[in-house]
């Protein structure tokens, strides 16, 4: 069966550095070692669960159970789920976990067991504060339920490095913006539909409907994380300039080149130097080809954006 007593199987601090080495691994290095050990370097997705150690909202426990039972099946075997081995939300998630036991892990400080009946324990950090930093560096997607300052800290760490944070806003606490929870995480992501996002916020909404919305949104976010970026998306990140501004600048430059080329051709023809005029004509053809290439790139980028927007809607 799936039920098993968690085993203390791994300590990344020992894996990254031997005792003979003086420098301790950074939280990011420890998180990377954990991800490698879990097989996430080959295209898996890590979903971390954040939440309060006791329930403040009457519907949070039922919502946690519903999501825990549905999400593992929806994401498939390439997904690994990680809790912090704490009571409350994380224990409730483990209790109703709908995937294989091998997909569930609990990250705790060195020497501390979770005591959960399913999944395996991992260890990082000498205390809870150090463990929280590693936890915030580890996941691709973070689900947050209620929570206090600790949840907000972990969410800030994750969001700051570009991980997806999906807050169950309806549950209140940090997930609703308290304790300096990252403001950007409370804004609807591009892949989320208006209906899905509203269900995450609607306090009196049906638990099952909200759970289904979280599952669908997490699937889309996970797919986005796993998808390899296209050449044009990589180029867009490298250039780092607004497309409208870039197009305008290129338009001015190409217009100047056209004018220079045309003027040079006219000047050489008027002097009877047809060989040089032909050379300038070749340059003109190159400029026209460049204009066509730029137009195609802009059109392709707009098409990709349109497809992404359609999927979100």
């Amino acid at each position: 069966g799936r039920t098993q007593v968690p085993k203390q199987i791994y300590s990344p601090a020992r894996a990254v550095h031997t005792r003979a080495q003086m420098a301790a691994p950074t939280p990011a290095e420890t998180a990377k070692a954990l991800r490698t050990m879990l097989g996430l370097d080959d295209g898996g997705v890590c979903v971390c669960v954040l939440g309060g150690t006791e329930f403040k909202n009457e519907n949070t426990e039922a919502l946690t159970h519903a999501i825990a039972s549905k999400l593992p099946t929806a994401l498939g075997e390439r997904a690994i789920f990680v809790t912090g081995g704490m009571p409350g939300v994380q224990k409730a998630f483990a209790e109703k976990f709908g995937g294989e036991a091998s997909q569930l892990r609990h990250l705790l400080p060195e020497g501390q067991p979770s005591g959960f009946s399913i999944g395996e324990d991992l260890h990082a950090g000498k205390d809870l504060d150090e463990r929280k930093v590693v936890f915030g560096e580890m996941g691709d997607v973070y689900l947050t339920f209620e929570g206090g300052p600790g949840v907000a800290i972990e969410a800030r760490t994750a969001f700051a490095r570009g991980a997806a944070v999906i807050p169950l806003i309806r549950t209140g606490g940090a997930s609703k913006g308290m304790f300096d929870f990252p403001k950007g995480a409370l804004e609807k992501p591009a892949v989320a539909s208006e209906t899905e996002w509203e269900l995450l916020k609607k306090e009196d909404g049906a638990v099952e409907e909200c759970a289904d919305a979280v599952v669908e949104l997490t699937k889309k976010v996970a797919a986005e994380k796993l998808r390899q970026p296209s050449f044009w998306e990589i180029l867009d990140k490298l250039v780092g300039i607004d497309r409208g501004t870039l197009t305008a600048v290129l338009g001015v430059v190409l217009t100047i080149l056209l004018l220079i080329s045309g003027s040079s051709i006219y000047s050489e023809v008027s002097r009877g130097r047809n060989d040089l005029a032909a050379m300038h004509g070749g340059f003109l053809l190159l400029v026209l080809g460049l204009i066509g290439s730029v137009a195609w790139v802009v059109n392709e980028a707009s098409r990709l954006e349109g497809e992404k927007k359609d999927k979100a809607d």
Side-chain angles (χ1 to χ4, degrees):
R2 294 190 299 105
T3 302
Q4 62 182 59
V5 176
K7 292 180 284 188
Q8 300 180 16
I9 62 170
Y10 186 73
S11 173
R14 291 192 294 271
V16 177
H17 291 271
T18 65
R19 291 181 179 179
Q21 291 175 299
M22 297 297 293
T26 66
E29 289 172 338
T30 301
K32 186 177 186 301
L34 284 165
R35 288 180 60 88
T36 299
M37 185 275 297
L38 293 172
L40 293 167
D41 292 344
D42 298 325
V45 61
C46 180
V47 179
C48 293
V49 179
L50 288 170
T53 55
E54 58 183 38
F55 295 105
K56 306 290 187 182
N57 185 296
E58 61 181 358
N59 292 319
T60 301
E61 185 172 15
L63 185 56
T64 305
H65 285 166
I67 293 170
S69 67
K70 297 178 179 184
L71 189 56
T73 302
L75 294 186
E77 61 183 13
R78 297 176 72 188
I80 296 293
F81 296 81
V82 183
T83 81
M86 304 290 283
V89 166
Q90 294 175 338
K91 184 177 181 180
F93 189 91
E95 287 174 344
K96 297 296 181 180
F97 186 69
E100 297 296 324
S102 59
Q103 291 180 272
L104 184 62
R105 299 291 191 274
H106 313 295
L107 185 64
L108 300 113
E110 293 287 348
Q112 295 186 21
S114 67
F116 290 178
S117 61
I118 182 173
E120 295 180 336
D121 290 351
L122 308 176
H123 294 93
K126 67 178 184 295
D127 55 31
L128 185 59
D129 288 339
E130 287 190 3
R131 193 278 294 165
K132 285 180 179 179
V133 178
V134 175
F135 195 82
E137 294 279 354
M138 186 177 175
D140 299 300
V141 184
Y142 289 76
L143 304 179
T144 74
F145 304 76
E146 299 188 8
V151 168
I153 289 171
E154 289 170 292
R156 285 201 303 274
T157 301
F159 191 75
R161 65 176 178 81
V165 177
I166 301 177
L168 276 295
I169 301 171
R170 59 176 282 169
T171 62
S175 297
K176 197 175 182 179
M178 296 178 66
F179 310 110
D180 200 22
F181 192 85
K183 290 182 173 59
L186 298 171
E187 299 174 0
K188 185 182 81 66
V191 296
S193 69
E194 292 290 347
T195 300
E196 288 167 346
W197 198 245
E198 284 305 311
L199 284 169
L200 266 63
K201 296 192 293 183
K202 191 176 181 181
E203 295 182 12
D204 59 350
V207 167
E208 291 297 324
E209 287 185 357
C210 181
D212 289 340
V214 172
V215 169
E216 289 304 311
L217 177 53
T218 307
K219 282 172 59 179
K220 288 189 282 189
V221 170
E224 190 72 10
K225 291 290 180 183
L226 291 172
R227 183 180 65 83
Q228 296 296 319
S230 69
F231 170 78
W232 307 115
E233 290 170 317
I234 294 172
L235 182 63
D236 186 50
K237 288 183 179 180
L238 290 175
V239 173
I241 302 175
D242 174 74
R243 189 181 307 138
T245 302
L246 181 60
T247 303
V249 170
L250 287 173
V252 171
V253 171
L254 292 173
T255 299
I256 292 172
L257 290 175
L258 279 174
L259 291 174
I260 292 174
S261 179
S263 175
S264 298
I265 293 172
Y266 176 79
S267 176
E268 298 302 339
V269 169
S270 64
R271 294 176 184 177
R273 297 190 289 193
N274 293 332
D275 55 338
L276 293 178
M279 183 181 70
H280 289 301
F283 178 73
L284 177 61
L285 290 176
L286 288 176
V287 173
L288 292 173
L290 182 58
I291 291 173
S293 299
V294 170
W296 184 84
V297 168
V298 172
N299 181 70
E300 182 70 5
S302 299
R303 183 184 66 79
L304 289 171
E305 278 191 354
E307 288 181 357
K308 187 180 293 186
K309 185 177 180 181
D310 290 341
K311 289 179 181 178
D313 294 337

